[in-house]
Amino acid sequence: QDAQRAAKPVVILKTGRSDLGQQMAASHTGALAGSHEVFLAVAQRYGAAVVDDLDDLWQVAQMFAKLRESGKLLPRGDRFVSTGAASCAVSGGHIGLLADLAAHGGIRFPQLSEATQQRLREGLGKDGEILNPVDMSGGSVSDHGTWARTLAPLLDDDAIAVGLPILTAAKNYDTVIADLQTLAAAHDKPLI
C-alpha cells in the first residue's frame, strides 16, 4: 500500500508456485510458501506485477523505469480499468500467442471504435471488421511505414490505454523503430 501511495510499481519474482517449489521454500526458510493462486490474487489486488523468471524481473523493472522517466507510468485507477491495450503484428501466429499470454496476464483488448477501424482500413488497405489485436499481414510486411499508420489510430482511440506492437524477426527495423519513437513522443499513452 505504501508503494501504491507513492505511485511506485512493485515487481515480484516468487518461488513456491508448484508443490515441489513450496517444499523447497519450506525446507530452506522453515516457512510455508502458501498457495500461489492466493498470492497472485493479493498481488493483483494491490497492483504488483508478478513475473516468472529473472529475465522477466529485469525487463519488467526496466520497462517501469522507462515509463516512469517518460511520465507515462499508468496509475492504477479508472483510466486503466475502463480501457485496455491495443496491439498489432504482421504475423497472425504472433497475434494468437499474444492473445493467449494476455488472457493469462489479465490484459484486455477492447473492440475498436468504428472511426478507428475506418482509419485502419484505409491505412492497411483492408475491408471489413478490424479486430484488436490488429493483424497487419498481407502487403504490409514489406512496407515498414505501416507500423506507424496502424499504431497512430490505435493510440488515438479512447478505449486504448497502451500500445503493444509486436516486432517479429527482420533484417532491419531501423525505420520502424524511428517511427515508433516519433509516435511515442507525440502521444501521452505508453507504447511498449
Side-chain angles (χ1 to χ4, degrees):
Q1 288 177 334
D2 289 341
Q4 271 187 329
R5 281 191 288 275
K8 292 186 179 182
V10 174
V11 184
I12 301 169
L13 174 60
K14 179 189 176 293
T15 61
R17 292 179 286 181
S18 65
D19 290 341
L20 181 58
Q22 288 178 15
Q23 289 173 359
M24 296 297 102
S27 70
H28 177 69
T29 64
L32 294 176
S35 163
H36 186 60
E37 290 76 21
V38 170
F39 180 83
L40 288 176
V42 171
Q44 183 176 15
R45 163 113 167 76
Y46 290 101
V50 180
V51 297
D52 293 326
D53 56 42
L54 287 171
D55 288 336
D56 286 351
L57 179 68
W58 174 254
Q59 291 174 3
V60 170
Q62 287 294 309
M63 176 195 69
F64 280 135
K66 288 178 181 179
L67 288 173
R68 187 180 181 111
E69 182 179 308
S70 71
K72 295 183 181 183
L73 185 61
L74 289 172
R76 200 172 150 77
D78 291 342
R79 178 178 174 209
F80 189 70
V81 171
S82 64
T83 58
S87 187
C88 58
V90 295
S91 164
H94 284 99
I95 293 288
L97 179 60
L98 175 66
D100 290 343
L101 292 170
H104 176 72
I107 298 172
R108 253 179 13 90
F109 290 94
Q111 183 174 351
L112 301 170
S113 71
E114 181 54 39
T116 300
Q117 288 187 53
Q118 184 57 38
R119 285 179 64 192
L120 290 168
R121 283 185 205 103
E122 293 167 6
L124 295 171
K126 292 188 172 194
D127 294 323
E129 184 179 21
I130 305 284
L131 301 176
N132 180 22
V134 178
D135 184 352
M136 303 183 330
S137 63
S140 64
V141 173
S142 60
D143 178 4
H144 285 188
T146 302
W147 291 93
R149 286 193 310 273
T150 301
L151 285 162
L154 293 174
L155 292 174
D156 289 342
D157 192 305
D158 289 339
I160 304 304
V162 61
L164 306 169
I166 304 170
L167 301 182
T168 54
K171 276 188 172 184
N172 185 319
Y173 268 125
D174 291 347
T175 303
V176 175
I177 296 300
D179 286 349
L180 295 182
Q181 288 173 328
T182 300
L183 193 61
H187 282 81
D188 65 343
K189 296 176 183 177
L191 185 59
I192 302 171

